[in-house]
Amino acid sequence: MCHFCLLSVLSIRGVQEEDPPDPQIMRLDNMLLAEGVSGPEKGGGSAAAAAAAAAAGGSPTDSSIEHSDYRAKLAQIRQIYHSELEKYEQACSEFTNHVMNLLREQSRTRPISPKEIERMVAIIHRKFSSIQMQLKQSTCEAVMILRSRFLDARRKRRNFNKQATEVLNEYFYSHLSNPYPSEEAKEELAKKCGITVSQVSNWFGNKRIRYKKNIGKFQEEANLYAVKTAVDAANVSAQASQANSPATPNSGDTYLGLRSLNGEGLNIAPSLQPQVDTLHRATHLTGGYEELSGSGLFTPHRLDANSWQDTTTLSSVTSPPGPPGSVHSDTSN
DNA sequence: TAGCATGATTATCG
DNA sequence: CGATAATCATGCTA
């Protein structure tokens, strides 16, 4: 590359280049700083990334692994960025020296004002800073790609653990008449499940819509959890009323065996009064809604304000694909 | 590997 | 701003 050519190019144009307050480069600088690429070693940048990751919502267990991976890649990008930057700076000062030498040589044949020298230097710096901007831009791009690869929660979806979905389902089906947990309830559920509040909201949003869309598919689950909560209520009341709680092994999972009373034989021990009530209520609400939406028979379903889901989707609920009669023969004995 | 399950995102509405 | 409906992208399983 010929210095004279470059020199002439620089002197011809470069005058009309934009000046210091370049918004573009400011933006890039800010972003690189925020991303932890520029700025002090392992400073607030990674903290910001961590905050972003946490905000995106992820289980705390695997996020650390993902995060270290992310950090490694980010460090790589940062290293490349810095070495390139250094190279450019070195080249810039080298080139400036060359130009100065040339000017000095020329000054023997023609007078050169300090102003001209100054202008030349400014032009060179501007040229190199525009190259720097390209570097910053491509670095930004790389970081963005990295972020979307590693931090996009959608890409890194993990199913909630069994216990979490258990808790959520329990709440959902025991509040089936109004499955809209309050903010406090959401927080509690989130804490219990080890997920974020917004994940709880997502879950309930998905659950409501999917339940409503295909009630039949959820019948078994609904009954299952109805029984579960009924049993829980039984345990609670038994513990409350009687000093000794006779048969309370482990509250949850072993009682899943009660699924067998899915359709007809709701033979709960006669001594348990309130839980039967809950059970009736729950099964009635689920099965009852299916009936009125599927067959068109309608009675004002106001009994417990379970008027969620009555927004125009009644027709979309096709006849239940599951075993007929196994479900809504529940409490009608 | 196809197809369903599921968590997250987006568009829209009140 | 929160809810819904549609959709996306991944996880899981037969």
Side-chain angles (χ1 to χ4, degrees):
Chain A
M1 177 182 290
C2 164
H3 289 166
F4 293 102
C5 301
L6 245 174
L7 199 56
S8 60
V9 166
L10 286 173
S11 58
I12 289 170
R13 57 215 210 74
V15 185
Q16 77 277 21
E17 303 257 333
E18 61 274 90
D19 268 335
D22 183 354
Q24 179 81 359
I25 205 162
M26 294 264 290
R27 211 165 55 80
L28 294 175
D29 271 338
N30 285 340
M31 187 189 147
L32 290 174
L33 204 62
E35 230 46 66
V37 176
S38 62
E41 188 72 24
K42 44 179 65 193
S46 45
S59 60
T61 52
D62 63 0
S63 79
S64 58
I65 302 167
E66 305 288 333
H67 192 60
S68 71
D69 209 353
Y70 171 80
R71 284 254 294 261
K73 299 265 198 228
L74 192 65
Q76 206 176 326
I77 290 177
R78 173 222 281 269
Q79 198 198 334
I80 292 169
Y81 170 77
H82 277 119
S83 77
E84 287 295 303
L85 203 61
E86 201 176 325
K87 245 192 277 178
Y88 285 151
E89 242 139 51
Q90 196 181 332
C92 179
S93 67
E94 238 169 66
F95 187 68
T96 309
N97 273 347
H98 276 288
V99 170
M100 295 300 262
N101 286 338
L102 288 172
L103 285 175
R104 248 197 302 278
E105 247 175 64
Q106 282 197 357
S107 71
R108 268 180 264 159
T109 58
R110 70 177 177 95
I112 292 180
S113 67
K115 188 119 190 244
E116 193 178 341
I117 295 174
E118 196 181 306
R119 209 166 71 87
M120 207 55 97
V121 170
I123 288 168
I124 292 169
H125 282 171
R126 221 148 31 199
K127 214 63 199 167
F128 270 91
S129 85
S130 91
I131 293 173
Q132 269 189 23
M133 192 175 86
Q134 276 184 322
L135 171 66
K136 286 177 181 179
Q137 200 151 21
S138 56
T139 305
C140 273
E141 223 167 276
V143 170
M144 290 310 264
I145 291 169
L146 183 70
R147 279 186 72 103
S148 70
R149 275 275 285 286
F150 279 83
L151 265 38
D152 188 356
R154 188 136 102 171
R155 286 190 179 289
K156 286 291 159 192
R157 180 175 83 69
R158 293 264 177 279
N159 289 347
F160 300 154
N161 61 40
K162 222 173 171 79
Q163 185 252 353
T165 51
E166 197 100 324
V167 169
L168 293 167
N169 272 315
E170 229 163 84
Y171 188 98
F172 181 80
Y173 286 112
S174 63
H175 297 73
L176 197 54
S177 58
N178 187 33
Y180 297 85
S182 66
E183 204 54 36
E184 298 92 52
K186 280 183 193 169
E187 278 169 29
E188 179 149 352
L189 286 168
K191 197 155 67 170
K192 249 193 268 187
C193 298
I195 58 179
T196 68
V197 171
S198 60
Q199 282 179 302
V200 172
S201 297
N202 285 342
W203 191 91
F204 273 88
N206 283 324
K207 191 70 181 182
R208 281 191 299 262
I209 201 73
R210 282 161 187 167
Y211 178 83
K212 154 157 74 170
K213 223 170 204 169
N214 192 350
I215 292 175
K217 199 170 65 182
F218 290 93
Q219 274 309 302
E220 195 177 342
E221 192 177 73
N223 290 340
L224 196 150
Y225 281 100
V227 170
K228 242 165 112 76
T229 57
V231 170
D232 278 353
N235 290 338
V236 168
S237 71
Q239 279 183 346
S241 58
Q242 308 172 326
N244 57 343
S245 52
T248 54
N250 19 15
S251 57
D253 293 289
T254 45
Y255 275 176
L256 290 175
L258 285 178
R259 169 157 76 244
S260 60
L261 48 80
N262 186 3
E264 34 266 279
L266 286 179
N267 49 351
I268 308 281
S271 65
L272 308 178
Q273 170 71 31
Q275 65 277 18
V276 171
D277 195 34
T278 354
L279 211 164
H280 273 215
R281 207 170 70 97
T283 51
H284 184 68
L285 283 173
T286 60
Y289 199 85
E290 182 194 9
E291 267 177 16
L292 71 88
S293 53
S295 66
L297 292 181
F298 182 84
T299 46
H301 49 290
R302 181 63 41 78
L303 58 162
D304 209 2
N306 66 334
S307 55
W308 74 285
Q309 69 171 328
D310 61 357
T311 57
T312 72
T313 45
L314 293 181
S315 59
S316 75
V317 180
T318 56
S319 59
S326 74
V327 170
H328 49 63
S329 62
D330 47 18
T331 61
S332 58
N333 48 350

